[in-house]
Each structure stands twice: as C-alpha cells, then as structure tokens.
C-alpha cells in the first residue's frame, strides 16, 4: 500500500471512530443530562440509568480508541490538539470521570441525598462532556491559532468564541433529543410518555440551533469554500433527517425518530470530515500553517503495522458491542422488583 493511501485510510478510520463514538455515546450523554429532570422518583431514575447501564462504558471505548489512533497515526495532530486544547480536554476528562464514578457509586447507599447528588453529577458530567466536544469540533472547523512550528498559540478562552460555544450548544441540544428518543424506545408506561412529550419540546430547540450552526458554518468558516472532497448530498440528507424526527415523534414511531436523530448525527460528522479533508487542524494565523494528513502523519511502516492490527481487532470489538446491545435489548420497567441496582 502506498504512503498516501495509508494516510488517507487512517484519516477515514479516525473519522469512523469519532462518528461511532457520537453515534453510540450521544444518546448516553442525552440520557445522563435528562436524568434529574425526567425521573421524579428513585425508581424512575434507576430505570433511566438502567437503559444505558450495561453499555455506557463500552461506548466510551470509541473515544479512547480515537485518541489512541490519532496519537499513533498523526502524532503532530495529536501533539498540537492535545497541548493546545489541554484545559478543555482536562475538563472533558473531569466530566467523564464524574459521570463514570456516579454510575458506579449511586447505588452504594439508599440515602436519597446520596443518590440525588450522584444523579446530578451524572447530568453535569454528561453536559460538560457534550458541551466541550461540540466546542472543540466547532473550533476545528473555524480554525485556531497555529504557528509555523505546528504550535497552538491560543488559550482556553480562544476556544470559547461565539461559534465554538454555538457548536457546543448544538451538540448538547441534539444529544438531549437523541437521549429522549432513545428513552421512548427503552422505557415503559408513564415514564415513556413523558419522554415522548419532552422529545417534542427538545426538538424545537435542537432544530433552531442546528439551523443557526449551519448558517454560521457557511459564513464563519472556510470549510465550505475550500472543499477537499465534495460531500454531495450528505449535508442535505443530514438536514432532511432532523426534519423527519418530529414527523415520526408525532406519529409515535419511536424507532424511526431515533434512527433519524442518529442519522442526522452520523451524516453531520461525515460532512464535517469530508469538508475538512485533507486538513485536520486549520490555522487561523496562516492557512499555510494548517495541519494536514500529509504533514502530521507517522511513517509508512507505522501506518502499515497499525492497519494490520486494526484488521484483526476491530471486527472483534464490533462483534462484542453488537452482542451486548442484543443481550440488553428489552424495555425497562419502573417496577422496583424488576430493577437492577
């Protein structure tokens, strides 16, 4: 395999890892953020947690793999992004740790105050993670200050610009909608009905910020004018998918509402990576300083070895995750006798 082919291949694989992460973890984050608001009683909150309990940690493997693959395949990209976004990524890690600890410790004590505290920690951790990831990706599209030595010259507040925050807000609201539609698939009874009603309200907010982000992406970034690969119908299909969500919610077709929300997230990310290619980090200081798959990648030997390892282990991971979701596919009731603490 040629060096150029391997560089392109690993850009695609890292894009797939990020898309897989948002596809699987997006509704996890949404469920976490909704927990203190949707669940009124302890049994209801336990039922909500149980909808993602068996799978949430496996979904986060995609994030770790994406970070590891970026480190190995594109070390200059990894170094610039992780040093430049250091505080933002540290806060992301804090959010994920808070969330993970809360899932594990919530049931260690039956004291309502104890459980109430961890319920809110799950919500805060989920919100923080979604907000920071959206802000980071929006800044990748907008461009960040990078000098000729591939060094990020900004700080945390550089990332907290209006476009970056709009990207974060968009990810939060879309994940909330994603989580609500997921809960209509997994819950039963009155709690399911409340999730459906909430998804209608969340849809309005999500649709507004998605449109705003689309408009500002066109006017505030150059990824639509300096197109690496023409995404074709993908951006339009992404918009169509989010439009169809409310159509299916109103007709109580929860499965299709969930699929359309997932499709919107996947297609949005496909459009993002397609429009960015071959750039991986855009320099707002000078476009010539931008990092691309060609100046940020590892050697041909490293990429070849990584390709062989990926060919062996990726099918195993996919098979395991598919089996996990199949085993825990049933709906969750709020009946205390059926709940697992």
């Amino acid at each position: 395999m040629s060096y150029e082919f391997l560089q392109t291949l690993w850009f695609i694989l890292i894009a797939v890892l990020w898309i897989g992460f948002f596809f699987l973890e997006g509704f996890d984050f949404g469920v976490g953020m909704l927990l203190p608001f949707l669940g009124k009683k302890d049994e209801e909150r336990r039922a909500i947690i149980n909808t993602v309990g068996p799978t949430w940690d496996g979904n986060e493997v995609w994030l770790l793999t994406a970070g590891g693959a970026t480190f190995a395949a594109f070390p200059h990209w990894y170094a610039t992004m992780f040093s430049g976004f250091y505080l933002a990524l540290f806060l992301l890690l804090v959010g994920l740790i808070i969330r993970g600890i809360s899932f594990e410790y919530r049931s260690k004590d039956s004291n309502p105050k104890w459980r109430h505290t961890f319920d809110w920690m799950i919500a805060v951790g989920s919100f923080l993670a979604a907000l920071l990831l959206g802000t980071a990706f929006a800044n990748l599209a907008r461009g960040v200050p990078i000098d000729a030595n591939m060094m990020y010259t900004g700080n945390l507040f550089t990332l907290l610009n209006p476009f970056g925050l709009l990207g974060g807000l968009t990810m939060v609201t879309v994940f909330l909608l994603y989580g609500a539609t997921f809960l209509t698939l997994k819950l039963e009874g009155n709690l399911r009905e409340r999730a459906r009603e909430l998804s209608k309200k969340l849809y309005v907010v999500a649709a507004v910020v998605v449109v705003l982000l689309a408009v500002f992406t066109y006017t505030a970034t150059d990824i639509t004018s300096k197109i690496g690969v023409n995404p074709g119908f993908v951006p339009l299909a992404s918009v169509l998918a989010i439009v169809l969500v409310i159509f299916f919610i109103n007709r109580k077709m929860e499965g299709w509402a969930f699929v359309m929300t997932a499709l919107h997230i996947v297609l949005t990310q496909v459009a993002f990576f397609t429009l960015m290619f071959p750039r991986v980090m855009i320099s707002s200081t000078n476009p010539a300083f931008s990092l691309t798959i060609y100046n940020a990648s590892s050697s041909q030997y490293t990429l070849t070895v990584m390709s062989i390892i990926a060919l062996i282990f990726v099918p195993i991971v996919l098979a395991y995750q598919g089996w996990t979701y199949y085993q825990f596919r049933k709906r969750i009731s709020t009946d205390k006798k059926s709940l697992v603490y």
Side-chain angles (χ1 to χ4, degrees):
M1 289 182 281
S2 71
Y3 191 24
E4 186 175 342
F5 174 80
L6 288 169
Q7 291 166 322
T8 304
L9 173 66
W10 273 98
F11 175 83
I12 294 171
L13 290 177
I14 289 172
V16 169
L17 287 170
W18 278 109
I19 293 168
F21 171 68
F22 289 130
F23 170 69
L24 292 171
E25 191 73 352
F27 61 80
D28 267 9
F29 287 150
V31 169
M33 287 187 278
L34 291 172
L35 178 63
F37 304 100
L38 190 61
K40 304 300 181 187
K41 298 182 292 187
D42 182 67
E43 293 81 8
E44 292 179 345
R45 294 186 179 188
R46 186 67 248 177
I48 292 171
I49 291 174
N50 284 2
T51 62
V52 296
T55 54
W56 70 268
D57 47 357
N59 295 341
E60 290 189 358
V61 169
W62 288 73
L63 175 64
L64 299 175
T65 310
T70 305
F71 170 74
F74 299 102
H76 295 298
W77 180 11
Y78 182 91
T80 303
M81 185 166 68
F82 278 75
S83 60
F85 293 8
Y86 180 79
L87 279 176
L89 293 173
F90 173 75
L91 291 172
L92 169 63
L93 188 60
V94 169
L96 293 175
I97 290 173
I98 288 174
R99 188 169 175 272
I101 289 175
S102 301
F103 276 129
E104 299 296 333
Y105 279 78
R106 181 187 185 277
S107 300
K108 301 299 182 185
D109 194 320
S110 59
N111 187 322
K113 288 185 178 177
W114 172 275
R115 293 186 174 180
H116 186 69
T117 301
F118 282 113
D119 288 342
W120 274 101
M121 286 172 65
I122 291 172
V124 171
S126 302
F127 169 78
L128 199 58
L131 180 71
L132 290 169
L133 284 167
T135 303
F137 269 73
N139 274 288
L140 289 177
R142 174 180 176 269
V144 291
I146 299 172
D147 65 17
N149 298 314
M150 299 184 181
M151 294 292 292
Y152 177 80
T153 57
N155 53 44
L156 176 63
F157 295 103
T158 308
L159 303 177
L160 303 180
N161 56 77
F163 183 75
L165 292 173
L166 178 61
L169 181 63
T170 304
M171 192 158 281
V172 168
T173 54
V174 171
F175 282 177
L176 280 168
L177 175 64
Y178 198 22
T181 57
F182 176 75
L183 289 174
T184 62
L185 280 178
K186 292 292 293 182
L187 293 172
E188 293 180 347
N190 184 49
L191 192 54
R192 179 187 177 193
E193 291 300 321
R194 294 214 303 269
R196 181 185 293 119
E197 291 304 313
L198 185 59
S199 63
K200 293 178 183 177
K201 298 173 183 175
L202 290 171
Y203 175 82
V204 176
V205 182
V208 170
V209 292
V210 164
V211 170
L212 283 175
L213 183 65
V215 171
F216 280 97
T217 299
Y218 184 78
T219 58
T221 76
D222 70 357
I223 65 170
T224 55
S225 58
K226 294 184 178 180
I227 297 174
V229 176
N230 189 338
F233 67 90
V234 172
L236 184 62
S238 172
V239 174
L240 180 62
I242 196 74
V243 169
L244 288 174
V245 172
I246 193 63
F247 174 83
F248 290 117
I249 289 176
N250 286 334
R251 282 156 184 77
K252 297 185 178 182
M253 300 170 70
E254 293 92 357
W256 280 106
F258 176 76
V259 168
M260 287 299 120
T261 314
L263 196 60
H264 167 73
I265 292 170
V266 168
L267 292 177
T268 301
Q269 290 300 317
V270 169
F272 169 81
F273 282 103
T274 305
L275 291 167
M276 286 284 289
F277 182 87
R279 297 181 295 179
V280 291
M281 287 190 79
I282 299 170
S283 172
S284 59
T285 307
N286 185 335
F289 300 157
S290 298
L291 276 68
T292 70
I293 64 169
Y294 306 116
N295 64 13
S297 70
S298 292
S299 67
Q300 184 172 4
Y301 175 76
T302 301
L303 296 179
T304 302
V305 171
M306 289 177 63
S307 301
I308 295 170
I309 294 173
L311 190 65
I312 296 171
F313 288 102
V314 169
I316 296 173
V317 173
L318 291 176
Y320 173 75
Q321 279 212 297
W323 177 82
T324 304
Y325 274 92
Y326 179 76
Q327 290 298 319
F328 296 98
R329 64 189 182 281
K330 292 182 179 178
R331 288 186 182 272
I332 307 294
S333 166
T334 54
D335 181 5
K336 199 166 185 176
K337 294 179 181 177
S338 67
L339 293 173
V340 178
Y341 280 80

